[in-house]
């Protein structure tokens, strides 16, 4: 274990990387944290995390890490606003619930987490979005309590799933939705079902990246049988579902309202069991090799 003095306010890049520590020190008083601070610490199995940001590559390669608590009894969970690039890549999580106030799921955040089977996102699959701020009638507190990730339509929650976020998660078969009480959303029969990726209304694209002109590989190697997009999904990124050989069907909820514009290059290349996909009426571009090798696609 590491007992840090209260005067320690900075931990720079890879400060404790590749050490034998099994517990992370209290980070509450830290003002500045670098990249990869605990990267490759194979003895860490669980973390109690109190900061609002999980920094870049912070636990990358912590191959025994399978559990995280956001403060005492998860009391800090709603304060978490960012999980940065590669933060949990190569860890041993089997399930993960993303805090509700994240705007993005960043690049390679769970890359090569081969034990990960299920993730849960905050969201709604009804016509109406979840409220931005429920039940607060105090106008003076309105600015302070407004949640940080709201788009122009007032939708709260993750909006962009970025490059390689779940690349190589070979056991990941389920993305489901939860509500304000962190309960799995039962509003649609399909939501919460195993082997289905269900996307909330807030998600508009799975091709956002901090890099330019790259292939995104967002879900390459994952294991769903069905993908259910909301009508707000606009772009399916390059190589997004590349070689997802378990995938048989892609649907768009409220098909007639779909805003989807682009299916990018090789988005479904190598999906050898894909049989059916819905192409919305507003779709304007299908790029190179989007369905290359989808040998069962007939509808």
């Amino acid at each position: 274990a590491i007992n840090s003095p209260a005067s320690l306010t900075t931990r720079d890049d890879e400060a404790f990387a590749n050490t034998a520590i099994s517990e992370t020190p209290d980070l509450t008083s830290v003002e500045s944290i670098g990249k990869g601070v605990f990267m490759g610490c194979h003895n860490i199995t669980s973390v109690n995390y109190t900061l609002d940001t999980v920094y870049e590559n912070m636990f990358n390669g912590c191959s025994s890490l399978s559990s995280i608590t956001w403060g005492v009894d998860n009391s800090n969970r709603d304060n978490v606003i960012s999980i940065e690039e590669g933060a949990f890549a190569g860890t041993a999580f089997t399930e993960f619930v993303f805090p509700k106030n994240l705007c993005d799921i960043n690049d390679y955040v769970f890359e090569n987490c081969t034990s990960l089977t299920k993730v849960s996102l905050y969201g709604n699959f009804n016509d109406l979005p979840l409220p931005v701020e429920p039940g607060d009638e105090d106008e003076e507190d309105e600015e302070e309590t407004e949640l940080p990730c709201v788009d122009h339509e007032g939708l709260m929650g993750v909006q962009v799933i970025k490059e390689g976020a779940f690349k190589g998660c070979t056991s990941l078969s389920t993305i489901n939705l939860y509500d304000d009480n962190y309960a799995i959303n039962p509003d649609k029969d399909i939501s919460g079902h195993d082997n289905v990726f269900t996307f909330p209304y807030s998600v508009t694209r799975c091709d956002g990246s901090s890099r330019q002109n790259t292939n995104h590989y967002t879900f390459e190697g994952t294991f769903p049988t069905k993908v259910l997009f909301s009508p707000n999904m606009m772009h399916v990124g390059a190589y997004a579902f590349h070689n997802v050989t378990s995938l048989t069907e892609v649907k768009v909820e409220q098909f007639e309202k779909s805003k989807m514009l682009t299916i990018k290059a090789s988005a479904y290349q190598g999906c050898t069991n894909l049989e059916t996909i819905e192409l919305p009426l507003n779709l304007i571009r299908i790029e190179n090799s989007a369905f290359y090798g989808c040998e069962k696609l007939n509808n």
Side-chain angles (χ1 to χ4, degrees):
I2 299 173
N3 296 316
S4 301
S7 59
L8 188 62
T9 59
T10 302
R11 288 179 174 82
D12 283 336
D13 293 357
E14 303 180 10
F16 301 110
N18 297 314
T19 60
I21 62 169
S22 58
E23 296 180 8
T24 57
D26 183 4
L27 302 173
T28 306
S29 64
V30 176
E31 298 172 2
S32 176
I33 295 181
K35 302 174 183 177
V37 171
F38 303 108
M39 185 168 62
C41 292
H42 299 294
N43 292 330
I44 295 176
T45 60
S46 63
V47 173
N48 187 340
Y49 202 80
T50 56
L51 304 181
D52 64 8
T53 299
V54 184
Y55 293 92
E56 184 174 339
N57 290 322
M58 193 164 198
F59 299 104
N60 192 326
C62 293
S63 58
S64 298
L65 177 60
S66 61
S67 144
I68 188 166
T69 305
W70 307 103
V72 178
D73 295 327
N74 283 318
S75 58
N76 191 57
R77 181 161 51 183
D78 288 352
N79 296 325
V80 179
I81 58 173
S82 180
I83 299 177
E84 294 185 350
E85 178 176 345
F88 295 112
T91 54
F93 285 92
T94 58
E95 297 186 9
F96 193 87
V97 179
F98 280 93
K100 67 166 60 174
N101 291 329
L102 300 180
C103 291
D104 304 321
I105 297 179
N106 280 309
D107 304 318
Y108 302 102
V109 68
F110 275 98
E111 182 184 25
N112 293 331
C113 291
T114 56
S115 298
L116 188 66
T117 62
K118 181 184 297 185
V119 299
S120 299
L121 302 177
Y122 177 74
N124 187 312
F125 227 77
N126 286 335
D127 292 342
L128 298 175
L130 287 168
V132 172
E133 181 57 39
D136 191 342
E137 299 176 359
D138 188 343
E139 292 183 4
E140 293 182 4
D141 294 336
E142 189 172 352
E143 287 190 14
E144 293 182 11
T145 57
E146 184 174 349
L147 296 171
C149 192
V150 180
D151 70 7
H152 66 283
E153 295 184 5
L155 299 174
M156 191 182 78
V158 169
Q159 294 167 24
V160 180
I161 302 176
K162 293 188 174 182
E163 176 182 336
F166 299 102
K167 180 181 179 182
C169 294
T170 52
S171 299
L172 180 61
S173 62
T174 303
I175 295 177
N176 56 22
L177 312 180
Y178 65 85
D179 59 21
D180 282 316
N181 298 313
Y182 285 93
I184 297 302
N185 192 329
D187 293 327
K188 293 288 180 180
D189 288 342
I190 201 71
S191 182
H193 284 196
D194 290 341
N195 305 315
V196 179
F197 284 3
T198 308
F199 292 90
Y201 260 57
S202 57
V203 174
T204 61
R205 55 200 307 150
C206 55
D207 69 341
S209 177
S210 59
R211 302 171 178 83
Q212 297 298 315
N213 301 318
T214 58
N215 297 324
H216 304 293
Y217 296 102
T218 310
F219 300 103
E220 184 189 44
T222 57
F223 207 69
T225 58
K226 185 173 183 176
V227 168
L228 185 60
F229 291 128
S230 91
N232 288 332
M233 180 68 80
M234 297 176 65
H235 305 286
V236 181
Y239 291 84
F241 293 92
H242 183 245
N243 286 344
V244 179
T245 57
S246 59
L247 186 61
T248 63
E249 183 178 5
V250 178
K251 291 182 66 66
V252 180
E253 182 70 9
Q254 298 185 44
F255 178 77
E256 68 282 358
K257 297 181 181 180
S258 176
K259 300 176 183 177
M260 189 173 294
L261 299 175
T262 310
I263 297 175
K264 296 195 173 182
S266 300
Y268 298 98
Q269 181 176 342
C271 293
T272 53
N273 285 300
L274 181 62
E275 297 177 356
T276 301
I277 186 166
E278 294 184 334
L279 301 178
L281 298 177
N282 292 328
L283 192 69
I284 59 174
R285 186 175 179 87
I286 298 175
E287 295 188 354
N288 296 345
S289 302
F291 300 101
Y292 186 94
C294 296
E295 56 193 36
K296 293 186 179 180
L297 182 61
N298 58 25
N299 184 17

